[in-house]
Amino acid sequence: MDHEQKRTAAGIREAIAHAPLPHVHRARIRHRNHMAVPWHEVTDCDDMLAIDADLDDKSSIICRAGLLLLAGGTGSWRVRDCMNKIAGVLGVTVSAAVSLTTIECTCIDGHTSFSEVISLHTTGVNTERIRLMEQFTREVQARGDTFTVREFHDRMDAIERTPGNYAPWAVGLAAAACAAFVFLLGGGPIEMGCAFVGAGLGNFTRRIMLDRRLTHFVCIGVSVAVACLAYLGCLSLLSFVVSGALDHEAGYIGAMLFVIPGFPLITSGLDIAKLDFRSGLERLAYAVAVIVVATLVAWLVAMVVELSPDEFAAQGLSAHVQLALRLIASFVGVFGFSMMFNSTLEMAATAGVVGALANTLRLSLVDFASMPPEAAAFVGATCAGLMASVAATKTAFPRISITVPSIVIMVPGLYMYRAVYYMGVFDTIDAMEWTIRAVMIILFLPMGLGLARALTDPDWRYCS
């Protein structure tokens, strides 16, 4: 290259270096970390019967069905069972590894195999989604050999696009069932009323943030802070008209119990019972992370406003009145949690009845039979599982939509918070005591459900 050509090339490079960037590069572009799968675009033969389609198209149907069910929050055993049933109709063998948010699937047809990995962008609970997917699976078993590939995906499109059963304000009111939890923990009308306001505003905030796809744990932390501060604000306002209202600060713990991850806690135990350690341990890690974030935020609020987790004042109720009120409070609490899980009113009412009977039995065993709380939790969870089995048979509701909400009310959220609080103030002995008590009860809850499941569900009873 001669001297003139070098000068020209240098000038071009300088012009490019100083040229303004196109507008598209200056704009702020947001990319999804988890890209959506265009299911209708990855299939080769939409109008062909699915049983005659290529293996990759069959795999897309099987994997998408499993992913939709996983998005409902159910355990890995049910996800794999759904995939196996659809694979059986399509004439292929499927081997799947299921975790909290991911499915790794290999479909085998003769000497040909096809593997794919699909993921959710977040996790959550949607019992209505579980019910719709169970209906879809039964429909596939009945006449799936007449569906085209497009018809399979159209049906799953309809399930995926089904809106939630409740608006954010209704979900907020459902979380206000934490007032029932406060009563079961020993609180009175003042604690219950303030917890009603705090939990309602907290869960309303969380729902609004989740609808805008904000980061999961940020939503949890902010909603807990809102709930605790709303409780204290309500208590402060009440103190102007009720003398001694500020002495009822212990109930603020109940205002944050709507974030207790009952579904992943219970399903983690059931997955581990079926030797699915990958899914079980991931669910357990997620549940522990939620609990840690929620309790630490609540502890920070308590430190700022100088609160301590004191015992509730005795209410002085007779045994018969207390028994009746426990039945009512347990029903309300379970009903509210079921609504937060997007259950229909019929499913929520069914779970409420089961939870009211099982939880009242648990509390009565502790109070009147001097049974250790851990053993009583095992008995209560077993009874809930047995009653849920009968209810699921009579109503065709998903069993998990009845069992888990009915025993979420037994999860010792108060124990967990006290454990973190005493860690924060370096009271090691009390921190260890409350941690051990909480862990023991949490371990016995899935054990009770597992026993009931083994007694009543032949498919679940065996390893294969």
Side-chain angles (χ1 to χ4, degrees), residues 322-356:
Q322 189 175 48
L323 181 66
L325 292 178
R326 280 178 172 175
L327 280 167
I328 296 172
S330 298
F331 175 85
V332 171
V334 174
F335 187 90
F337 259 94
S338 296
M339 287 182 63
M340 283 191 281
F341 297 150
N342 199 44
S343 295
T344 61
L345 294 179
E346 293 80 6
M347 280 196 290
T350 303
V353 172
V354 171

Side-chain angles (χ1 to χ4, degrees), residues 176-199:
C178 289
F181 280 64
V182 171
F183 172 79
L184 295 171
L185 293 171
I190 293 178
E191 291 93 343
M192 292 171 62
C194 294
F196 182 93
V197 175

Side-chain angles (χ1 to χ4, degrees), residues 180-181 183-186 322-323 325-327 329-330 355-371 373 376-377 380 409-410 415:
F181 280 64
F183 172 79
L184 295 171
L185 293 171
Q322 189 175 48
L323 181 66
L325 292 178
R326 280 178 172 175
L327 280 167
S330 298
L357 296 174
N359 191 54
T360 302
L361 172 64
R362 175 184 71 95
L363 295 174
S364 298
L365 289 174
V366 174
D367 289 346
F368 305 125
S370 300
M371 182 178 288
I409 201 168
M410 304 181 191
Y415 291 8

Side-chain angles (χ1 to χ4, degrees), residues 402-460:
I402 301 173
T403 54
V404 176
S406 66
I407 68 170
V408 166
I409 201 168
M410 304 181 191
V411 174
L414 176 63
Y415 291 8
M416 299 175 196
Y417 171 75
R418 283 179 171 167
V420 172
Y421 175 85
Y422 287 121
M423 288 181 194
V425 296
F426 302 101
D427 189 340
T428 307
I429 301 299
D430 282 337
M432 290 180 62
E433 177 185 351
W434 286 106
T435 299
I436 293 171
R437 293 174 68 179
V439 169
M440 289 288 287
I441 292 177
I442 290 172
L443 291 176
F444 274 112
L445 290 177
M447 284 180 61
L449 278 189
L451 174 61
R453 189 73 170 270
L455 292 174
T456 58
D457 189 346
D459 292 336
W460 199 86

